[in-house]
Amino acid sequence: MKELLKELCLINGISGDESAVRENIISKINGYCDYRVDNLGNLICFCKGKKSSDKKLMICAHMDEVGFIVTYIKNDGTLCFGEVGGIDPSVIIGRQVTIGRNKISGIIGSKAVHNLSKDERKASPKTDSLYIDIGADSREEAEKYVKLGDSVCFDSEYTELGENCIKSKAVDDRAGCTMMIELIREKPEYDTYFVFNVQEEIGLRGSRVSAFSVAPDFAIVLEATTAADIDGISDEKKVCSLGKGAVVGFMDRSTVYDKGLYNLAFDTAEKYDIPCQTKTMIAGGNDSGAIHLSRGGVHTIAVSVPCRYLHSPSCVINLDDLESSFNLVKALAKRVHEL
């Protein structure tokens, strides 16, 4: 799955502007399933399995990544911008970005350190104090290349680290999309809906629509989740760790996960000798928050790849964890129908 993940991560697609990601995914699954695109942009796929079931299972991931949007062009040609999704401003200063469909290069800049007051040096930077420099010297020149509302994405290389780790932007949640494409190509044991959602990063919007449309009995959400497994952090605050397998949480800020599915996930991991861990903090959230409340309620669980430096230009995962997550979802999907 490494090459597929690389290809997907390098496509730009912030929330509300996922079309390039969607078209690439369609090219990968065309002929393997029936699919449609709903009014919000979700890609809803039905994959006929080897067997039918009286339970409707939906497996999903989101296509969008965090980024920015151009909000104003200043007289000096620099760009004001707003966040699309939750991003810590301290990780973006000096980062290279790509703007709009013309892929104009820019750098996120800030006030020079020697011009900062003592209080400003102590405080964390705020997005409204930053700007994007595209090399223009006036508003008129900048307007030749960019316009208000243009998407802004991190310009970050996909890099292999050490023996089995990779670094890239948009691992959240192109990792989940990668696993779903592979599951579709392998053909599931039972009839399954696979949904590639939009606008997860700005409020779980796509999944609200797709879950209502599909009306599943069970849902498995594929994600990347934060790992703080670095020296100096106590074990209970590391959340999860790279190299220890798939992450199955019991609760986050948007969902208390189905107890039956939570127990089934760990039973499945033990049965098939798949590395698996749980989250040691109630943190984060994902499309489960909207899905489990859809219609009359949906039995929902999330299976995630542990990821360092989430929502940054340099997300880091261990490819063994990606493989473990894939194997767990594949086995769990089958057992949901059989038990």
Side-chain angles (χ1 to χ4, degrees):
M1 291 183 285
K2 182 171 69 172
E3 291 305 314
L4 177 56
L5 176 63
K6 177 180 179 179
E7 183 176 346
L8 290 177
C9 284
L10 292 178
I11 302 171
N12 290 336
I14 67 167
S15 305
D17 193 14
E18 303 94 343
S19 59
V21 182
R22 183 173 57 245
E23 292 307 311
N24 182 277
I25 291 171
I26 289 174
S27 73
K28 300 288 190 298
I29 63 172
N30 191 26
Y32 291 92
C33 61
D34 298 322
Y35 64 86
R36 62 183 175 88
V37 179
D38 69 16
N39 290 338
L40 208 62
N42 298 307
L43 175 59
I44 300 175
C45 311
F46 175 72
C47 196
K48 186 68 178 174
K50 301 170 187 175
K51 304 173 186 176
S52 296
S53 172
D54 59 352
K55 302 170 186 174
K56 188 184 288 187
L57 172 65
M58 178 178 76
I59 301 176
C60 67
H62 65 90
M63 296 181 286
D64 56 314
E65 64 188 282
V66 297
F68 312 95
I69 192 167
V70 177
T71 59
Y72 187 75
I73 302 175
K74 295 183 179 182
N75 289 334
D76 65 358
T78 59
L79 314 178
C80 296
F81 62 93
E83 297 173 5
V84 179
I87 306 175
D88 180 359
S90 66
V91 307
I92 66 175
I93 296 173
R95 297 289 188 172
Q96 186 169 340
V97 292
T98 301
I99 304 141
R101 295 300 171 90
N102 294 325
K103 296 185 177 181
I104 301 301
S105 292
I107 301 295
I108 296 178
S110 63
K111 185 189 292 188
V113 65
H114 58 270
N115 287 329
L116 296 176
S117 66
K118 288 184 178 180
D119 289 340
E120 286 176 324
R121 292 185 186 187
K122 294 177 182 178
S124 297
K126 296 182 179 180
T127 301
D128 60 10
S129 69
L130 308 178
Y131 57 87
I132 298 174
D133 185 350
I134 63 170
D137 59 12
S138 67
R139 177 186 293 172
E140 291 73 24
E141 183 181 0
E143 286 175 339
K144 296 177 183 178
Y145 303 100
V146 300
K147 62 182 184 296
L148 303 189
D150 274 352
S151 296
V152 181
C153 297
F154 291 122
D155 188 351
S156 175
E157 292 294 326
Y158 180 102
T159 305
E160 296 186 17
L161 302 176
E163 294 184 359
N164 209 37
C165 291
I166 65 97
K167 182 278 296 182
S168 179
K169 74 174 184 67
V171 172
D172 174 19
D173 185 29
R174 307 293 160 72
C177 294
T178 297
M179 289 186 280
M180 280 178 38
I181 291 171
E182 288 297 306
L183 288 167
I184 291 172
R185 286 171 163 179
E186 287 192 7
K187 190 173 184 178
E189 189 73 17
Y190 291 89
D191 296 350
T192 304
Y193 284 86
F194 292 92
V195 180
F196 299 85
N197 285 312
V198 297
Q199 298 187 35
E200 188 267 357
E201 298 291 4
I202 55 172
L204 320 182
R205 299 179 184 183
S207 59
R208 295 179 192 274
V209 176
S210 62
F212 186 90
S213 177
V214 174
D217 300 301
F218 295 85
I220 303 174
V221 178
L222 308 189
E223 260 289 5
T225 193
T226 186
D229 57 331
I230 57 174
D231 193 33
I233 303 298
S234 59
D235 289 344
E236 71 273 15
K237 293 186 177 181
K238 290 183 177 180
V239 186
C240 58
S241 299
L242 268 64
K244 293 187 177 180
V247 180
V248 179
F250 44 80
M251 180 180 176
D252 58 34
R253 290 176 182 169
S254 65
T255 314
V256 177
Y257 291 99
D258 185 279
K259 293 293 186 182
L261 288 179
Y262 177 78
N263 293 331
L264 181 63
F266 281 95
D267 182 74
T268 301
E270 183 177 0
K271 179 181 175 71
Y272 293 100
D273 195 25
I274 300 170
C276 186
Q277 59 185 311
T278 194
K279 295 172 73 169
T280 59
M281 289 185 67
I282 298 172
N286 55 58
D287 276 334
S288 301
I291 293 168
H292 82 287
L293 297 175
S294 181
R295 289 184 180 264
V298 180
H299 298 285
T300 306
I301 197 69
V303 177
S304 304
V305 178
C307 178
R308 292 180 189 144
Y309 325 123
L310 202 70
H311 287 193
S312 82
S314 303
C315 302
V316 173
I317 65 168
N318 186 310
L319 293 173
D320 284 343
D321 295 329
L322 180 67
E323 190 73 23
S324 296
S325 300
F326 174 81
N327 291 334
L328 180 58
V329 172
K330 182 178 178 181
L332 183 59
K334 182 180 178 182
R335 296 193 81 194
V336 164
H337 288 285
E338 294 178 344
L339 295 179

